[in-house]
Amino acid sequence: MTRDRGLMVSRVPSKPVRREPDGRLAIDLWLQRDGSFAGDLALRLTPAEAEMLHAQLCFALDDWPVAGAAEHKLPDCRTQGQRGRGVRRP
């Protein structure tokens, strides 16, 4: 049996994304080193960073090239009328 070498980061599936007291959003992660658990950490994003990540994930899920998308163009899941309200289109 071979073991993974190096560092690996994965999302903690049982923990939801949360808003912290300073307004940032936190995504809990697990860190593994050489295949063994090395610790917990959190990716902390400003609301603007989280909005950008969300838009990029929407593009990626729809197989759109994120790098080629114009900055003013939002994916279907993040139209201008819904931006910042956390509402998803049906």
Side-chain angles (χ1 to χ4, degrees):
M1 180 171 143
T2 61
R3 293 183 66 175
D4 292 331
R5 296 289 177 210
L7 295 176
M8 186 173 127
V9 177
S10 59
R11 185 165 179 240
V12 179
S14 61
K15 292 189 176 182
V17 174
R18 66 183 185 284
R19 187 174 295 268
E20 296 192 321
D22 67 358
R24 290 182 182 260
L25 291 111
I27 303 169
D28 290 299
L29 304 171
W30 281 326
L31 176 64
Q32 291 181 347
R33 177 174 284 135
D34 296 331
S36 297
F37 178 75
D40 292 333
L41 61 145
L43 173 62
R44 290 179 170 83
L45 303 167
T46 65
E49 292 168 334
E51 185 74 36
M52 180 63 71
L53 176 60
H54 182 222
Q56 290 175 351
L57 287 168
C58 287
F59 278 121
L61 286 167
D62 285 343
D63 290 327
W64 278 66
V66 175
E71 286 189 24
H72 68 275
K73 182 174 173 18
L74 293 172
D76 286 342
C77 66
R78 300 304 292 166
T79 63
Q80 287 290 350
Q82 298 166 338
R83 189 176 197 172
R85 292 195 321 214
V87 177
R88 191 169 167 89
R89 284 174 72 174

